[in-house]
Amino acid sequence: MKKILFLFFLPFFLWSKPLDFNRDVRPILSDKCFSCHGPDEHGRKADLRLDIEKNAKDSDFMAIVAGKPDESEMIFRIHSDDEDEIMPPPEIGKPLTAKEKKVLEQWIREGAVWADHWAYVDPVKNPLPKVENKSWAKHWIDHFSLSHYEREKADPAPDADPVNLIRRLHFDLTGLPPKSETVDKFVQNPSPKAYSELVNQLLDSRHFGERMAIYWLDLVRYADTVGYHGDQPHNISPYRDWVINAFNQNMPFDQFTREQLAGDLLPNSTTQQKVASGYNRLLQTTHEGGLQIKEYDAIYAADRVRNVSEVWMGATVGCAQCHDHKYDPYTIKDHYAMAAFFADIGDRGFTGNSLPTRRPPEITIHNPKNLAKIQQLQKEMNTLLPPANQKKFQEFQDRKNRLTSTLKKAKEKDKQDLQNKMGNLDKEISKLTGEKELARYRKMHREKVEIEKLGRPTMISQAVKPRTMRVLPRGNWMDESGPIALPAIPEFLGQIQSQKERLTRLDLANWLTDSQNGKGKLHARVLANRVWFLLFGKGLAPDLTDFGGQGTPPEHPELLDNLAHSLLEKKWNLKAFIRDILLSRTYQQSTLPKKGFLSMQIARRLPAEFVRDNILAVSGLLVPEIGGPSVKPFQPPGYYRHLNFPRRVYKQDTGDTQWRRGLYVHWQRQFLHPMMKAFDAPSREECTTQRPQSNTPLAALVLLNDPTFIEAAKAFTHRIIKQGGTSVTERLDYAFKESISRSPDKFESETLIALLDDPKTTEPENWTPIARAILNLAETNLRR
């Protein structure tokens, strides 16, 4: 009996599983210790570093004595009652919990085993874990998930039913709901072959690029306005279309990276590669008349460092803007060395309140249809006038237009002279070719000019002489005493081997994706984690932004590493990578498992844009065109009343543009569209890797009262009346299958029928309350 009691009361550390430094210990040290005993030498206390093993275990300090917690100064300090001795100091407001103290004691007792920070070590390809239920694991990913379930003494959750699975696939790959006939076909034959074919079909859908673009635009903080001061619109929408097309064309992600960071630096750079380089112009800017140019040089440089490091590295290098990073090995020198890569982007000193702003360099982009027309007209024009004469024609025409403008303002005595000059320009133009040919040429020229007016200007990058970049002590833009910083990667990550005098943005892009000579393996881990998040609702490393000391280590590091290797083995082929995950049984599991069962899938509400798209698709109003200018749907009057410099009035679009996808809605940073804001879309002032999910009355009120959704309910009503049969039961069944891909149960039917004023009437208005109720169901906008 004494033996049993002894075993029962054994201390926690003797019977718990061995600790993992990165998973269990480093997060405590980073959160509670590194701010005073970490990488920042200027903020370091007592000259003690706890982020490096050699320093932490220095015998002069005896802070950590491996295997001997009783001799370790750390353990003495964390248990001290003396305010002058206890660690962490009370004034920093981060006391250790009892559990954290036990973890530190257990770790030292087990030998204080150290490990390099997981995010800075190249991912290792791990062998598949052994599992008991071998028949369940049909894919390499399943071995890792099943191993986790078995360690937790749980069974895998059942496979999702065919209806939820097909809805999940459609929302995950296109952001749109499946059509009822597509659901019926799959439910009748939910075989692995049918599922695989459906995956291929959706990956090939033109809407795949739209779905992926929404997440990418969150990362790179794409918006239609400048952000600061007057938040005026700027020209950038063709960049958004380039992103959509890149995903649809399955552009390898390393090329996707190069074209955005350095599209203008690529050999024989194409027009579309220049459009892609608009990434470097997406940051918030100001057009205030009194701006201090050097101040905004520093602000823009820091913005670019924050975004590049968060998007491609899962790192917060931006935190080293004023001092060495408090938690990670990034120094202030690293910050400005990264900023120096972008010192060749000429975007200084643009002022004025024009709508939209002008921020050269810009180029004009035409849609494929208009571009073809322009090229055809130019070809025909070349047969009428040689290029040299076309140039003369344009010169004469420009002079004539200037004279016409002057004539309107001229005094009476000067008019005759101006008219004579215009007449002379006409004896000159007519000399260029015959009268008939000239008439045809003029007509084609006018047509070409009118089509060219439909083009969209877009900001691009164009390298200029790099401005001098200095380390700014304490981030102070007025202090130029710091050393000059040349383009370089963070020092602790190595260096880029190059014979060039100065590294460029192209060198940085290559380093980020090169798995042999750069840090492509680290980036592959960041990207794989985010793709997993899109398909499951939670990253394997929960913090999608920060893989550093303040981030959360991965719950399944071996699986994450293998996914990174899978992405690299597929040569950055995103569609192949996503397809591989979708074919796993782990992806196909049901959500909300019962007690004793586990699933990696998480049920969640659709993102803001998908809520709009889903309801418009169900109602039949959705206009599924790809690309084009941003659109302005219904918005409450007066919402822009505080938007100044200059003041402006929101003018909503009419016609089909009113029913475009949420991806194309005008993104006003300071005054985000209220519907988007209510459903947690970000302002895109900074990189957003994961949107919050709130559940507030505002969202319900938007679904009920936003004019877009009221019009959608009316349109859905007409569909129900026209296509849903004649009886109430048939119409309810039709409405449910179109919106949530199933029939209503008894309670739902009775509740909704009660909303009818007269069940026998065929008046559409009688069914509008039912349509609104169905479109407002949580299940309608739920991805399971």
Side-chain angles (χ1 to χ4, degrees):
M1 181 66 178
K2 289 181 180 179
K3 186 175 181 181
I4 293 173
L5 287 173
F6 175 75
L7 290 172
F8 182 80
F9 287 107
L10 268 175
F12 172 81
F13 59 81
L14 289 179
W15 54 264
S16 65
K17 61 184 179 182
L19 293 172
D20 178 88
F21 180 75
N22 274 320
R23 182 191 66 216
D24 303 308
V25 181
R26 185 185 290 275
I28 300 174
L29 298 179
S30 180
D31 188 39
K32 305 295 174 71
C33 308
F34 285 0
S35 60
C36 297
H37 302 292
D40 182 9
E41 63 176 332
H42 300 293
R44 195 177 301 139
K45 303 296 169 64
D47 203 29
L48 172 64
R49 289 193 73 166
L50 294 177
D51 62 315
I52 296 178
E53 182 178 18
K54 181 181 177 182
N55 300 65
K57 295 181 179 178
D58 191 321
S59 58
D60 291 341
F61 289 100
M62 295 189 70
I64 297 171
V65 182
K68 299 178 180 179
D70 293 340
E71 297 180 21
S72 300
E73 183 73 10
M74 173 189 280
I75 302 305
F76 167 74
R77 290 298 190 101
I78 66 176
H79 286 294
S80 176
D81 294 326
D82 189 330
E83 287 191 0
D84 294 328
E85 292 181 339
I86 189 170
M87 290 290 159
E91 59 266 24
I92 73 169
K94 285 191 171 185
L96 288 165
T97 66
K99 181 180 178 181
E100 289 171 332
K101 292 177 183 179
K102 285 183 178 181
V103 167
L104 293 176
E105 286 183 59
Q106 180 185 344
W107 171 61
I108 293 176
R109 182 174 282 103
E110 290 177 352
V113 178
W114 207 275
D116 291 332
H117 186 62
W118 63 274
Y120 307 135
V121 178
D122 284 350
V124 176
K125 190 165 185 180
N126 300 280
L128 298 184
K130 295 180 180 179
V131 293
E132 294 179 12
N133 187 2
K134 295 180 181 179
S135 63
W136 188 87
K138 306 203 178 280
H139 187 279
W140 69 265
I141 290 175
D142 300 336
H143 286 264
F144 287 94
S145 57
L146 182 58
S147 175
H148 165 66
Y149 303 153
E150 291 180 347
R151 282 197 308 272
E152 297 296 323
K153 308 297 182 186
D155 291 322
D159 297 342
D161 66 75
V163 169
N164 280 326
L165 184 58
I166 191 172
R167 287 178 66 81
R168 177 188 300 174
L169 264 183
H170 275 76
F171 285 129
D172 283 354
L173 296 184
T174 69
L176 294 170
K179 294 183 177 179
S180 55
E181 53 268 29
T182 306
V183 175
D184 292 340
K185 182 180 178 182
F186 183 69
V187 168
Q188 291 168 10
N189 176 31
S191 66
K193 182 181 178 183
Y195 175 78
S196 179
E197 290 174 353
L198 184 60
V199 167
N200 291 339
Q201 175 188 329
L202 294 176
L203 286 171
D204 288 339
S205 165
R206 61 182 186 153
H207 299 302
F208 171 78
E210 293 179 311
R211 186 272 172 271
M212 296 299 292
I214 288 174
Y215 186 66
W216 185 254
L217 298 184
D218 275 1
L219 293 177
V220 298
R221 74 292 194 227
Y222 167 92
D224 290 298
T225 61
V226 302
Y228 292 133
H229 194 51
D231 199 26
Q232 302 95 338
H234 58 195
N235 298 315
I236 197 62
S237 64
Y239 166 83
R240 177 242 293 139
D241 295 351
W242 176 87
V243 172
I244 296 169
N245 292 331
F247 280 120
N248 277 339
Q249 293 162 10
N250 201 22
M251 180 182 290
F253 201 85
D254 55 345
Q255 183 67 13
F256 184 71
T257 297
R258 277 190 289 273
E259 294 197 8
Q260 291 181 84
L261 289 175
D264 58 313
L265 301 181
L266 292 171
N268 303 313
S269 175
T270 66
T271 299
Q272 284 302 306
Q273 287 171 337
K274 290 181 174 67
V275 171
S277 76
Y279 159 77
N280 295 308
R281 313 292 304 282
L282 293 175
L283 74 169
Q284 291 191 95
T285 58
T286 186
H287 292 254
E288 182 183 2
L291 68 88
Q292 296 286 333
I293 289 181
K294 288 189 176 180
E295 178 185 14
Y296 277 90
D297 280 349
I299 289 172
Y300 297 167
D303 192 320
R304 290 189 169 108
V305 171
R306 285 197 304 275
N307 195 258
V308 167
S309 64
E310 289 176 7
V311 172
W312 276 277
M313 300 166 63
T316 54
V317 185
C319 292
Q321 178 184 356
C322 305
H323 49 71
D324 292 346
H325 203 293
K326 292 283 187 183
Y327 306 101
D328 296 319
Y330 301 108
T331 65
I332 190 171
K333 179 184 174 184
D334 292 333
H335 179 279
Y336 290 96
M338 281 202 74
F341 279 110
F342 302 93
D344 66 341
I345 296 173
D347 60 352
R348 311 175 77 196
F350 299 130
T351 60
N353 294 333
S354 63
L355 299 176
T357 58
R358 291 286 181 263
R359 289 179 58 205
E362 296 181 345
I363 58 175
T364 300
I365 300 299
H366 299 279
N367 65 40
K369 184 179 178 181
N370 285 346
L371 182 61
K373 284 183 181 178
I374 291 170
Q375 291 171 340
Q376 181 61 33
L377 283 169
Q378 187 61 59
K379 185 178 179 181
E380 293 179 21
M381 288 163 64
N382 289 343
T383 64
L384 298 172
L385 270 183
N389 282 3
Q390 288 186 41
K391 186 177 180 181
K392 288 182 181 179
F393 175 86
Q394 191 60 52
E395 289 173 357
F396 292 148
Q397 195 65 44
D398 290 343
R399 287 165 61 187
K400 186 176 178 181
N401 289 340
R402 287 194 294 271
L403 288 172
T404 301
S405 179
T406 305
L407 183 64
K408 291 178 181 177
K409 304 172 186 176
K411 295 179 180 178
E412 197 62 37
K413 63 185 182 66
D414 298 324
K415 287 185 177 180
Q416 187 60 50
D417 182 51
L418 290 170
Q419 288 171 343
N420 290 338
K421 288 181 179 180
M422 290 174 66
N424 291 335
L425 282 173
D426 283 333
K427 294 164 185 159
E428 294 296 325
I429 293 175
S430 64
K431 289 179 182 178
L432 297 175
T433 187
E435 186 176 343
K436 289 183 179 179
E437 288 81 2
L438 187 60
R440 286 179 61 198
Y441 183 87
R442 284 181 185 277
K443 181 180 178 183
M444 290 180 184
H445 182 266
R446 284 194 298 269
E447 186 179 354
K448 180 170 172 277
V449 168
E450 289 303 311
I451 296 174
E452 286 175 337
K453 288 179 182 178
L454 300 176
R456 286 180 290 154
T458 190
M459 297 179 290
I460 61 169
S461 298
Q462 189 174 56
V464 298
K465 181 181 178 181
R467 65 180 180 277
T468 301
M469 183 68 65
R470 291 183 179 273
V471 173
L472 301 180
R474 301 180 67 84
N476 183 358
W477 62 273
M478 293 186 287
D479 186 346
E480 297 185 335
S481 64
I484 290 176
L486 293 175
I489 59 173
E491 192 171 351
F492 80 98
L493 291 175
Q495 60 182 1
I496 296 176
Q497 301 297 327
S498 175
Q499 301 300 317
K500 293 185 289 188
E501 183 179 343
R502 182 186 178 97
L503 297 175
T504 68
R505 288 176 277 119
L506 185 56
D507 295 309
L508 175 62
N510 289 332
W511 176 80
L512 287 167
T513 55
D514 187 339
S515 61
Q516 300 301 318
N517 303 309
K519 287 300 175 184
K521 290 180 180 177
L522 302 188
H523 172 53
R525 184 193 277 136
V526 173
L527 180 58
N529 190 55
R530 289 174 180 164
V531 172
W532 186 273
F533 159 74
L534 291 179
L535 301 176
F536 287 85
K538 181 181 179 183
L540 292 168
D543 192 328
L544 304 182
T545 302
D546 188 2
F547 271 25
Q550 289 298 92
T552 307
E555 296 169 358
H556 307 284
E558 296 84 5
L559 173 55
L560 182 54
D561 276 10
N562 279 27
L563 285 167
H565 273 276
S566 174
L567 183 54
L568 292 171
E569 288 164 3
K570 292 175 174 59
K571 302 186 184 305
W572 299 102
N573 183 326
L574 269 185
K575 286 190 178 182
F577 178 67
I578 290 172
R579 184 179 190 278
D580 195 26
I581 296 175
L582 297 177
L583 294 180
S584 71
R585 198 165 183 182
T586 306
Y587 173 81
Q588 299 172 48
Q589 282 187 274
S590 59
T591 58
L592 308 172
K594 296 179 180 178
K595 187 175 181 181
F597 294 85
L598 288 177
S599 171
M600 290 193 174
Q601 279 291 359
I602 297 175
R604 56 198 184 274
R605 191 190 65 208
L606 298 175
E609 295 92 331
F610 292 8
V611 171
R612 172 185 167 89
D613 301 343
N614 182 40
I615 289 178
L616 289 180
V618 170
S619 71
L621 287 177
L622 183 69
V623 176
E625 292 178 8
I626 305 291
S630 297
V631 300
K632 293 184 175 181
F634 297 109
Q635 183 171 286
Y639 184 58
Y640 279 3
R641 64 187 179 278
H642 298 304
L643 193 56
N644 296 307
F645 310 110
R647 299 195 69 174
R648 67 209 80 162
V649 177
Y650 183 86
K651 294 181 180 178
Q652 69 191 41
D653 288 331
T654 57
D656 285 350
T657 53
Q658 186 68 242
W659 314 117
R660 298 290 307 282
R661 291 194 67 170
L663 168 65
Y664 303 107
V665 169
H666 175 77
W667 214 272
Q668 186 84 33
R669 278 178 164 135
Q670 289 185 18
F671 290 86
L672 184 62
H673 190 280
M675 179 267 155
M676 296 292 179
K677 194 169 185 178
F679 284 93
D680 305 310
S683 64
R684 291 185 177 155
E685 296 168 78
E686 295 285 346
C687 169
T688 302
T689 59
Q690 183 172 358
R691 297 182 181 184
Q693 279 232 336
S694 64
N695 186 11
T696 69
L698 267 182
L701 290 170
V702 167
L703 283 178
L704 280 171
N705 300 314
D706 186 310
T708 295
F709 298 139
I710 291 176
E711 292 302 312
K714 291 178 181 177
F716 189 33
T717 299
H718 284 282
R719 285 193 69 198
I720 294 170
I721 296 297
K722 188 176 180 180
Q723 302 173 23
T726 55
S727 71
V728 172
T729 303
E730 288 175 328
R731 288 176 178 175
L732 274 181
D733 193 63
Y734 172 84
F736 262 66
K737 284 187 174 179
E738 290 299 307
S739 57
I740 55 179
S741 308
R742 66 170 177 84
S743 299
D745 60 29
K746 183 180 178 182
F747 171 79
E748 290 165 335
S749 295
E750 292 174 350
T751 303
L752 290 173
I753 289 173
L755 297 176
L756 289 173
D757 291 332
D758 180 2
K760 296 180 181 179
T761 184
T762 58
E763 291 298 321
E765 293 78 9
N766 197 35
W767 276 80
T768 300
I770 289 182
R772 292 181 74 190
I774 292 174
L775 294 180
N776 275 265
L777 290 174
E779 188 177 349
T780 302
N781 295 304
L782 186 69
R783 179 268 189 207
R784 297 177 64 180

